[in-house]
Amino acid sequence: RRGSLTTDGRRLALVRTLRQRDVYIAETGTGGHHAVVPRRLTPDLGDDYPTAWTRDSKAVILTSDRNGSSNVFAQEIDKLSAKQLVHGPGRQILPRVAPDGDDILFYGREAGKRGLMRVPVSGGAAELLFETLNVADFRCSPAGPCIIAEFQRDRRIVVSALDPRKGKGREIYREASGRIVTPDISPDGRFLATPSPTKIVVRSFATGFVVREIDVRHGTAPTRLTSLDY
């Protein structure tokens, strides 16, 4: 919201903006190189943000504020309504499917503690894995390894291994950053890929060392980080 007073101070003009994202899905054509016209999956009026598929590709895992606060939902691709997976206080964001496909990992709150949590993919009671206040993102590969990126007070991002059952493990690498540059993990769990202004940096999951840099034509700097926008 932004406002402006008239010169006599008697009236106030306001501009109000609302963000409403929706989830669309589309079938891929032969060879997976083309997609047909997408169709809207979420007909509700909330802000819906998808972050994962179930392992059988029959449902999309998403965050939605349709009930007020941001909560974790699963919606089957042939259904018009979604199932809320977690019922609890506070925002629940960044739901990801664990490698075994049986659990959903997400960032939320339990008993006044904020951190990474786990809930069965069918829904139910959530379990706190470990406390953390500075999650930037986390990803899991179908092959097993997961990673978590956290902000530090010195403006660095620390990337660590993540066990969906035991919690955070060894540190893989860290780097200074004033931008949103969290990595993704390859499907086989061997590599991490991070965007930079003009290239994609590929690192080894095992060592954290850079193994390749892929140039991006006409690349521009990513949006500078001010706060988590989920």
Side-chain angles (χ1 to χ4, degrees):
R1 295 182 179 89
R2 290 174 291 180
S4 176
L5 282 171
T6 57
T7 54
D8 60 8
R10 298 176 61 184
R11 291 181 176 85
L12 175 65
L14 292 175
V15 176
R16 183 181 182 186
T17 59
L18 296 174
R19 180 176 63 181
Q20 181 186 331
R21 292 169 289 190
D22 293 299
V23 181
Y24 287 77
I25 60 173
E27 298 287 341
T28 56
T30 303
H33 299 298
H34 302 282
V36 300
V37 177
R39 65 177 176 87
R40 184 174 172 179
L41 182 68
T42 52
D44 63 280
L45 298 179
D47 182 32
D48 304 316
Y49 183 73
T51 50
W53 286 85
T54 53
R55 287 286 177 255
D56 59 10
S57 298
K58 293 182 178 180
V60 175
I61 306 300
L62 58 100
T63 298
S64 176
D65 65 357
R66 64 189 67 185
N67 295 332
S69 180
S70 295
N71 298 117
V72 177
F73 292 79
Q75 183 163 342
E76 296 181 25
I77 60 175
D78 58 351
K79 303 291 184 182
L80 293 177
S81 60
K83 175 184 177 182
Q84 186 170 340
L85 300 182
V86 185
H87 296 269
R91 292 196 311 157
Q92 303 152 8
I93 59 175
L94 296 176
R96 309 286 189 193
V97 176
D100 60 11
D102 295 333
D103 294 319
I104 302 293
L105 305 178
F106 66 96
Y107 184 67
R109 186 175 69 185
E110 175 68 23
K113 299 178 180 179
R114 288 191 292 170
L116 203 65
M117 306 186 70
R118 182 178 69 232
V119 68
V121 72
S122 58
E127 173 189 358
L128 179 67
L129 282 177
F130 63 91
E131 288 186 75
T132 177
L133 301 177
N134 302 307
V135 170
D137 199 0
F138 58 94
R139 303 292 180 101
C140 286
S141 66
C146 299
I147 56 171
I148 183 170
E150 297 173 284
F151 298 117
Q152 302 296 301
R153 290 183 178 180
D154 60 2
R155 302 295 294 174
R156 291 178 180 271
I157 289 181
V158 176
V159 179
S160 304
L162 175 66
D163 187 309
R165 294 289 176 180
K166 299 178 182 179
K168 186 169 62 174
R170 64 180 176 86
E171 180 179 317
I172 301 174
Y173 75 93
R174 63 173 59 199
E175 63 181 1
S177 177
R179 299 179 292 269
I180 301 174
V181 285
T182 56
D184 199 357
I185 187 168
S186 62
D188 61 8
R190 297 175 57 199
F191 301 102
L192 309 179
T194 308
S196 73
T198 57
K199 59 190 174 183
I200 297 172
V201 179
V202 181
R203 295 175 180 267
S204 165
F205 171 80
T207 66
F209 295 156
V210 175
V211 297
R212 186 181 178 188
E213 294 185 351
I214 304 171
D215 292 331
V216 177
R217 289 186 178 182
H218 312 299
T220 57
T223 304
R224 287 200 169 272
L225 177 66
T226 56
S227 63
L228 285 179
D229 186 24
Y230 300 114

